[in-house]
């Protein structure tokens, strides 16, 4: 199943001296991408991460995102929504 994960920044997080954790974040994200768990990664206009995940369940999607260093450190969290197939075209048939 596909899931949409949208980053929610935590207020009051000190982002100074975050170079090391951001580099580790990129390494873990690449690993999850290579394993096929993260299918797409983007930044929105506010520079928040938006991802499409391919997981067996919402729980697996949550566990996948928990592997990210910024999530582990409590610097960001994600809202996760299951994406379902669009059925609107059936109205035309």
């Amino acid at each position: 199943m596909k899931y949409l994960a949208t980053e929610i920044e935590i207020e009051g997080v000190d982002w100074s001296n975050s170079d090391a954790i951001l580099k580790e974040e990129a390494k873990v994200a690449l690993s999850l991408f290579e394993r096929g768990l993260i299918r797409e990664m983007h930044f929105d206009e506010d520079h928040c991460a938006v991802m499409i995940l391919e997981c067996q369940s919402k729980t697996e999607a949550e566990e996948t995102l928990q592997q990210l260093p910024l999530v582990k450190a409590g610097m960001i969290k994600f809202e996760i929504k299951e994406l379902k197939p669009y059925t609107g075209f059936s109205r035309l048939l």
Side-chain angles (χ1 to χ4, degrees):
M1 290 182 269
K2 289 188 180 184
Y3 294 89
L4 174 67
T6 306
E7 176 190 343
I8 301 170
E9 290 191 4
I10 308 295
E11 286 190 39
V13 171
D14 180 9
W15 288 94
S16 62
N17 300 318
S18 60
D19 290 345
I21 195 167
L22 290 172
K23 186 173 183 177
E24 187 62 26
E25 180 85 356
K27 286 180 187 178
V28 173
L30 176 59
S31 172
L32 295 170
F33 183 81
E34 289 173 334
R35 291 172 39 208
L37 295 167
I38 296 176
R39 294 297 198 163
E40 295 181 35
M41 296 180 281
H42 305 275
F43 283 122
D44 68 11
E45 60 196 30
D46 298 319
H47 201 70
C48 288
V50 178
M51 299 182 209
I52 301 290
L53 290 89
E54 187 79 34
C55 298
Q56 295 299 314
S57 65
K58 190 170 186 176
T59 299
E60 184 183 16
E62 292 166 346
E63 290 169 354
T64 297
L65 294 172
Q66 286 294 324
Q67 297 176 49
L68 296 170
L70 293 175
V71 174
K72 282 184 182 179
M75 297 173 80
I76 63 171
K77 61 183 178 179
F78 283 89
E79 176 183 37
I80 303 171
K81 294 183 179 181
E82 182 180 345
L83 299 177
K84 299 187 182 228
Y86 178 71
T87 59
F89 293 130
S90 65
R91 293 182 210 111
L92 302 174
L93 305 173

